[in-house]
Amino acid sequence: MKIHIQPSRLEGALCVPPSKSMGHRALICAGLTQGSSTILGLGHSKDMEATIQCLEALGASFKKEKDTWHVVGCDPRSLNRPAQLKCNESGSTLRFLLPVACLSKETITLYGKGRLMERPMKIYQDLFEAQGLRYSQTNEAIKAQGPLQPGNFTLPGNVSSQFISGLLFALPLMEEESTLHIQGKLESKSYIDLTLDTLEKANIKITPIENGYSIEGHQTYAPTTYHVEKDYSQLAFFAVYAALKAPLSFIELDPDSKQGDKAILKILEKAGASIEWKERTLTIKPSHLHEQVIDLADCPDLGPILCVLAAYCPEQTKIIHAGRLRIKESDRIQAMENELKKWGVDIQSDEDTITINGKRNYKKEEIITMEGHNDHRIVMACTIFGLLALSPSCISGAEAIEKSYPTFFEDIKQLKGKVELV
């Protein structure tokens, strides 16, 4: 899919999609319940579909009525047949559900598409091998066989928090107590907090200890109702536009959300933008923004759109602790560097840092064609750059937005943005 973008002045109010991070967690907790749970406001994306299909493969059932999902949970320990879990391109689905599925003694095969099986999984490989369990990986799938046993687990704090969350979902269902120790500084702690908050709603007890967590065994996920918040991660794309170009309002947001990507508001405020709350409505107004040092350690998904922010902020912006962007759906550092250089952006990077010397305007005589890199966040970041530019552009491979935000271009049109399918 190719999208043509005209420079546009957006205006109005927008209700952004539900949080993908919270949606995965609600689905898993509901899917492990001994009984029926309800999920409100889940929304739709390919990543949500992947998690639902994988939980169905483990024995859970899902029924949708309008905006409400009714979920009857399963016990993966009682699985009595080999299972195939199709994770598509969802890293959350793969890393959250691998230890959960391997509570069973059956062979579990987890399939992935795109770059999913290229993303680091050695944490789980080492864990399985330490317990003498089967684990093998190819470019298409992981094949593993449990049952995983309780014990003392140690994980480095600078790996993806998804490994920690995956174990936190699985360990309460084991027969005995386990401990999970974190070595070094825990990055992306906000994502762990989301997991703990969702587990607490399901009456799962996790006790913080020094440098880790103690997890009681033989617990049961309790039925409950989950309300999925609107997504600050998706809000970030429009928030950066509003901070640079024209005021926008965002409705139905939780101002007290624990989502890590809510950090976008502090970053924009520090840059000089106006941030105003009125109950559950947020309004962001533009200003002459200035440079800063941005730390991505706890909010790596903001990386691509923050490259756009930096490109339009005069003087030098440094984005540090960005290394994990290189192992996402694409190498997001290299992807943004490639696409922004087409506009003449002064952007350089090393393994962990992005340095951008920005300016207020970008204009080209020819129509710039940007590539989507099969990555939804690259497509959305490049779209916002194109809307802010002073000359038209195109994005090829724009269908990648289906992964997390299928209505992205419709929402831009709702705000009077000029984007058209070529």
Side-chain angles (χ1 to χ4, degrees), residues 48-343:
M48 294 299 101
E49 287 179 6
T51 294
I52 289 171
Q53 290 171 2
C54 289
L55 287 166
E56 286 176 333
L58 296 177
S61 64
F62 296 80
K63 182 180 179 181
K64 185 179 182 183
E65 293 180 356
K66 296 183 178 179
D67 195 34
T68 300
W69 283 88
H70 301 284
V71 185
V72 178
C74 66
D75 185 350
R77 295 169 297 182
S78 64
L79 193 68
N80 58 8
R81 51 175 171 71
Q84 297 184 343
L85 278 60
K86 297 180 180 179
C87 302
N88 200 357
E89 296 185 65
S90 175
S92 295
T93 304
L94 175 65
R95 288 170 174 162
F96 288 169
L97 288 180
L98 192 154
V100 169
C102 288
L103 293 171
S104 162
K105 67 180 186 300
E106 300 291 340
T107 299
I108 307 296
T109 307
L110 302 101
Y111 294 94
K113 295 181 179 179
R115 278 173 39 114
L116 184 59
M117 291 301 164
E118 298 176 25
R119 295 168 71 173
M121 293 294 291
K122 194 172 186 301
I123 293 292
Y124 284 153
Q125 180 180 347
D126 290 348
L127 186 156
F128 273 70
E129 290 178 354
Q131 292 196 1
L133 300 172
R134 178 185 179 188
Y135 185 101
S136 62
Q137 183 169 347
T138 67
N139 292 333
E140 288 78 35
I142 292 171
K143 189 166 288 189
Q145 187 172 15
L148 282 172
Q149 299 299 312
N152 298 317
F153 300 87
T154 300
L155 274 68
N158 62 353
V159 299
S160 171
S161 64
Q162 293 169 351
F163 294 111
I164 299 169
S165 288
L167 288 171
L168 290 174
F169 287 126
L171 294 177
L173 295 177
M174 295 184 182
E175 291 302 315
E176 298 176 6
E177 180 182 359
S178 295
T179 56
L180 181 54
H181 294 280
I182 311 300
Q183 286 183 327
K185 181 184 177 182
L186 175 58
E187 296 185 5
S188 297
K189 183 179 182 298
S190 59
Y191 289 98
I192 303 299
D193 290 341
L194 282 183
T195 299
L196 294 172
D197 188 57
T198 312
L199 286 167
E200 185 179 9
K201 289 181 172 67
N203 202 32
I204 296 294
K205 294 178 174 60
I206 308 287
T207 304
I209 58 176
E210 186 177 0
N211 299 321
Y213 304 95
S214 174
I215 303 99
E216 293 181 23
H218 204 61
Q219 297 191 58
T220 301
Y221 281 76
T224 190
T225 297
Y226 299 92
H227 298 264
V228 181
E229 297 174 6
K230 301 304 180 184
D231 196 349
Y232 279 90
S233 181
Q234 311 291 27
L235 164 76
F237 296 92
F238 294 98
V240 166
Y241 176 95
L244 289 165
K245 181 75 173 181
L248 291 174
S249 293
F250 307 94
I251 62 175
E252 297 182 22
L253 290 171
D254 182 357
D256 300 316
S257 175
K258 296 179 181 178
Q259 293 178 52
D261 289 339
K262 188 184 174 190
I264 187 62
L265 302 186
K266 289 185 178 179
I267 292 169
L268 293 178
E269 198 166 34
K270 185 177 178 181
S274 168
I275 308 292
E276 298 176 1
W277 281 100
K278 186 176 182 181
E279 297 179 348
R280 294 174 64 87
T281 297
L282 168 69
T283 299
I284 300 176
K285 297 178 181 179
S287 180
H288 293 297
L289 304 188
H290 52 78
E291 79 286 354
Q292 61 179 301
V293 175
I294 301 172
D295 190 340
L296 283 191
D298 287 325
C299 53
D301 284 344
L302 296 180
I305 191 58
L306 290 177
C307 288
V308 175
L309 174 69
Y312 281 98
C313 287
E315 301 183 35
Q316 185 177 96
T317 297
K318 279 189 177 290
I319 301 174
I320 62 173
H321 297 141
R324 273 185 288 165
L325 295 183
R326 296 197 181 277
I327 52 174
K328 297 289 188 175
E329 286 86 337
S330 68
D331 178 339
R332 287 177 173 166
I333 294 178
Q334 190 62 57
M336 289 306 297
E337 192 168 342
N338 289 350
E339 303 317 312
L340 295 185
K341 280 183 174 178
K342 293 176 181 178
W343 288 94

